């Protein structure tokens, strides 16, 4: 499961990947716990979240999106902090 215990007793998730150029890259993410069972639980949640993340939608280069469509419903109530698009 690629758990790594730091010298300070904190558990980390560790993953080694190979970049397209052939170099290896090590990714370490702190699980913020000293308990191994809790660390294993957090890793399973982390991996489930990564695997279920939706792929971004690829728009064609010639497609244009109206700025009003990018805002969420809070923009319609006049809340300027919800979206940076001008009201008009």
């Amino acid at each position: 499961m690629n758990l790594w215990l730091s010298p300070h007793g904190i558990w980390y998730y560790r993953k080694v990947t190979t970049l397209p150029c052939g170099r290896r890259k090590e990714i370490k993410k702190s699980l913020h716990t000293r308990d191994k069972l809790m660390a294993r639980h957090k890793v399973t949640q982390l991996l489930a979240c990564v695997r279920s993340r939706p792929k971004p939608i690829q728009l064609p280069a010639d497609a244009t999106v109206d700025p009003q469509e990018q805002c969420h419903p809070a923009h319609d109530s006049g809340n300027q902090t919800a979206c940076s698009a001008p009201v008009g």
Side-chain angles (χ1 to χ4, degrees):
M1 194 178 270
N2 295 335
L3 286 176
W4 179 75
L5 183 63
S6 76
H8 302 286
I10 303 296
W11 286 98
Y12 284 79
Y13 171 71
R14 179 178 176 265
K15 182 177 182 180
V16 178
T17 60
T18 305
L19 299 175
C21 64
R23 276 188 19 205
R24 289 176 38 170
K25 181 176 179 179
E26 181 177 349
I27 299 169
K28 280 195 250 182
K29 179 165 177 57
S30 174
L31 299 172
H32 304 286
T33 185
R34 294 177 188 267
D35 182 20
K36 187 173 184 177
L37 290 176
M38 181 60 76
R40 290 179 70 183
H41 178 70
K42 286 185 176 189
V43 167
T44 56
Q45 286 182 333
L46 179 72
L47 292 177
C49 181
V50 169
R51 290 181 184 144
S52 66
R53 185 176 296 157
K55 302 270 184 201
I57 299 173
Q58 297 290 332
L59 293 176
D62 61 341
T64 58
V65 178
D66 184 22
Q68 293 291 349
E69 293 176 10
Q70 293 178 350
C71 299
H72 36 81
H75 183 336
D76 295 334
S77 65
N79 184 358
Q80 291 295 326
T81 61
C83 183
S84 60
V87 177

